[in-house]
Amino acid sequence: MNIMQIKNFGAKVNGVYYLKKGVCAAVTYSEEEKRISYMHTSGDYLGIDKFFFGVGIVDYYIFGDSQYELISDENFLTMFSDEKFSSEFSEYLKIYYTELFSLSAGNDEKIIVHHLNKLASKANNTTIKGIPEEFVKTLMIKGTFDRLVKNSKVNLEKGMYIIKK
Amino acid sequence: MEKFKKGINLIESGTVPEFFGYIEDGKLTEGNVIYNTGSFFGVLPFIMKMPVNNDYKTFTECKINIYKNINEIPEEIRQAFLKEISKNLNSLIYYPIIKKFPDPEEVFSAKVNHDNIDKEIEFSGNDEFENFFQTFDFLMINDDVEIPENFEDFKEEVKNMMLEFNVSKYLVLIRKGFDRFHDENWKDFINEVFDQAVVINDRALALYSVYLMAMISDDIAEVNAIIRKNWEFLRFNGLNTWIDYAMRFLNNNLFYSDGEIQ
């Protein structure tokens, strides 16, 4: 499966990305670990993290046939005048923040189970139902996924970690 | 815009705010937090529809813009609003992993360290060793390269060569360019080439640019400026060799005074 990094981490990008279709993993780093902190799905905005420091501190990777478009900062700012966009964006932020907040106390395994459940529940909107093994290997976080497979919470099907129903 | 006297409770603790605000003038407190002129307040609980932990009280007389929807935010402060939601996002996404508000330098350094460790597991090669050889491979090349007639075309050719990652041709081109163009603005061009090397993350090319500047310029401040850029680049890549360049920078300052070679 094709895995592509979107230009954001440590970079100045004149715009934010709108994920038109598919799935995007938001990865964060500390000295001790790398973590998939959030799984974005269709209709999400990526790269909002850059507005505070001027550069992005979240690393985004899109999977498979996902599609996105870059909305320039100028256009993004004008979009706020639109009532419909504003109310949809508020709702998006509410879900985004609440989900992150609810994950803040979870351990690695709980967070991954949450991500995989989310992808499975949104499977009607995307062809990607889980997280590719190749990506997990690249991030060197395979141990956590393998433990979940061993504990029968997750299946590894055709190179993809998918939640067990 | 509304005016509030000192000590007015705008949002009571335990309630879900139906608005958020922007302070045009004055100070506002929320527990131990102080919001100053030019700050938004109450954005996170407003968006998340969560009750606030503390009262939001005016600490001084305040002029405040109240918003009940984000489309009411005027254009001139929308950038500040994006900064505010970005700050909230960075807190929420990084708190679980580092237990504090993120420092970009620490985050970048963490990624670079992880990437380097991962590479060492995959490859047994030594980056510094490879760099060393790449630096001196120009001694072994004899490629025949055509030099454009004018400096502008020459610069374009050099940039194209950089993108092709053809190091040997690039070096011959530069050496022949030195022979042909004597009175052109090489210094700006070398700085431009250095920046391009940083963009494509090519440490060898960045180092060549440092050498080129040292060869061309007799102004120690200009040479030191590019040495400094090189060490920042190495440091960003997590390579300890940046210290060597910091030492060269200091040595240059020690041996050459007032920018004149003694």
Side-chain angles (χ1 to χ4, degrees):
Chain A
M1 174 174 283
N2 187 28
I3 296 160
M4 194 179 81
Q5 183 188 25
I6 298 180
K7 186 180 174 188
N8 182 67
F9 190 86
K12 283 185 181 174
V13 180
N14 177 31
V16 292
Y17 300 96
Y18 177 66
L19 190 61
K20 287 158 79 175
K21 176 191 155 195
V23 166
C24 174
V27 180
T28 51
Y29 303 90
S30 74
E31 283 302 329
E32 287 76 32
E33 62 171 314
K34 289 179 260 190
R35 182 181 282 193
I36 301 174
S37 285
Y38 196 80
M39 287 304 305
H40 288 281
T41 51
S42 311
D44 283 5
Y45 291 87
L46 320 170
I48 295 163
D49 53 287
K50 63 118 185 213
F51 286 109
F52 189 72
F53 293 113
V55 288
I57 58 167
V58 177
D59 216 357
Y60 297 102
Y61 294 87
I62 61 165
F63 304 154
D65 57 353
S66 300
Q67 290 172 8
Y68 64 86
E69 68 172 324
L70 181 68
I71 303 168
S72 73
D73 288 343
E74 206 183 357
N75 285 346
F76 191 56
L77 284 167
T78 56
M79 283 161 75
F80 281 86
S81 309
D82 183 69
E83 205 172 319
K84 187 168 173 273
F85 168 79
S86 287
S87 104
E88 282 171 3
F89 188 70
S90 289
E91 193 55 29
Y92 163 66
L93 281 183
K94 182 188 163 192
I95 295 164
Y96 190 9
Y97 284 179
T98 311
E99 211 174 316
L100 285 171
F101 185 67
S102 66
L103 292 176
S104 62
N107 61 26
D108 282 359
E109 289 183 17
K110 275 188 183 166
I111 293 170
I112 288 164
V113 166
H114 169 85
H115 292 334
L116 293 176
N117 266 324
K118 179 178 172 181
L119 294 182
S121 71
K122 296 222 175 187
N124 290 337
N125 304 332
T126 169
T127 51
I128 302 147
K129 296 173 185 169
I131 298 176
E133 186 188 18
E134 194 187 333
F135 178 64
V136 170
K137 273 186 187 168
T138 313
L139 276 190
M140 314 273 289
I141 52 169
K142 203 170 177 307
T144 316
F145 282 80
D146 286 345
R147 273 199 302 281
L148 289 167
V149 172
K150 203 177 162 190
N151 296 338
S152 307
K153 289 180 181 166
V154 169
N155 283 339
L156 179 59
E157 292 170 17
K158 294 177 187 167
M160 187 82 88
Y161 289 101
I162 296 168
I163 199 79
K164 201 167 185 173
K165 286 180 183 170
Chain B
M1 186 179 62
E2 294 179 41
K3 285 183 183 176
F4 297 91
K5 286 183 180 168
K6 183 184 170 181
I8 302 288
N9 197 356
L10 295 174
I11 308 171
E12 252 180 64
S13 117
T15 62
V16 176
E18 288 176 3
F19 62 86
F20 60 99
Y22 179 80
I23 307 169
E24 287 281 353
D25 190 31
K27 283 183 182 177
L28 196 123
T29 59
E30 180 231 339
N32 296 326
V33 183
I34 296 177
Y35 295 90
N36 291 309
T37 302
S39 311
F40 278 95
F41 65 90
V43 173
L44 193 64
F46 170 79
I47 285 174
M48 292 176 73
K49 308 281 179 249
M50 280 176 76
V52 297
N53 287 331
N54 299 297
D55 291 340
Y56 282 69
K57 278 185 177 172
T58 53
F59 190 64
T60 61
E61 202 170 276
C62 285
K63 290 177 188 167
I64 292 173
N65 290 326
I66 299 283
Y67 305 114
K68 292 188 173 176
N69 194 320
I70 61 174
N71 71 329
E72 293 170 8
I73 304 168
E75 260 183 77
E76 58 271 20
I77 57 165
R78 275 184 202 157
Q79 190 73 36
F81 176 72
L82 286 179
K83 206 171 169 182
E84 178 68 21
I85 58 170
S86 174
K87 185 179 85 181
N88 293 331
L89 169 62
N90 288 337
S91 303
L92 285 167
I93 205 161
Y94 266 98
Y95 182 78
I97 187 165
I98 57 172
K99 308 290 176 216
K100 63 172 187 173
F101 190 70
D103 172 341
E105 206 170 316
E106 283 175 18
V107 175
F108 299 151
S109 147
K111 177 176 162 69
V112 168
N113 286 344
H114 282 299
D115 285 354
N116 284 347
I117 291 164
D118 298 350
K119 268 184 204 150
E120 271 171 27
I121 292 165
E122 276 181 47
F123 310 107
S124 57
N126 181 328
D127 254 3
E128 286 183 29
F129 204 56
E130 277 175 25
N131 259 355
F132 177 80
F133 274 105
Q134 277 179 16
T135 307
F136 292 102
D137 66 1
F138 66 91
L139 293 171
M140 294 171 263
I141 51 165
N142 290 300
D143 295 3
D144 198 16
V145 176
E146 283 276 316
I147 301 292
E149 285 300 315
N150 66 61
F151 194 62
E152 287 307 311
D153 290 346
F154 168 75
K155 290 202 288 191
E156 207 51 44
E157 185 74 15
V158 170
K159 285 182 201 161
N160 289 339
M161 206 65 85
M162 282 178 81
L163 295 176
E164 280 180 33
F165 295 102
N166 191 332
V167 177
S168 58
K169 276 191 176 175
Y170 169 83
L171 283 166
V172 176
L173 192 66
I174 292 276
R175 277 195 304 175
K176 290 193 173 178
F178 265 135
D179 292 340
R180 177 169 297 180
F181 308 110
H182 300 287
D183 304 313
E184 305 290 345
N185 186 356
W186 276 92
K187 291 172 187 174
D188 285 357
F189 178 51
I190 291 169
N191 272 313
E192 205 181 315
V193 166
F194 180 92
D195 292 344
Q196 181 123 12
V198 171
V199 170
I200 60 174
N201 203 18
D202 190 322
R203 296 197 290 275
L205 276 180
L207 185 58
Y208 291 141
S209 310
V210 176
Y211 289 161
L212 290 175
M213 185 61 93
M215 284 157 67
I216 283 173
S217 176
D218 53 6
D219 182 350
I220 202 66
E222 280 173 341
V223 178
N224 264 355
I226 201 163
I227 289 179
R228 188 184 191 107
K229 283 206 284 188
N230 191 45
W231 107 47
E232 281 168 354
F233 177 44
L234 290 170
R235 196 163 160 228
F236 182 78
N237 275 284
L239 289 173
N240 288 336
T241 45
W242 73 269
I243 292 166
D244 297 345
Y245 293 89
M247 289 305 292
R248 279 173 211 198
F249 180 96
L250 291 173
N251 282 341
N252 284 345
N253 279 344
L254 279 174
F255 288 114
Y256 306 114
S257 62
D258 301 329
E260 282 178 13
I261 297 170
Q262 289 175 343

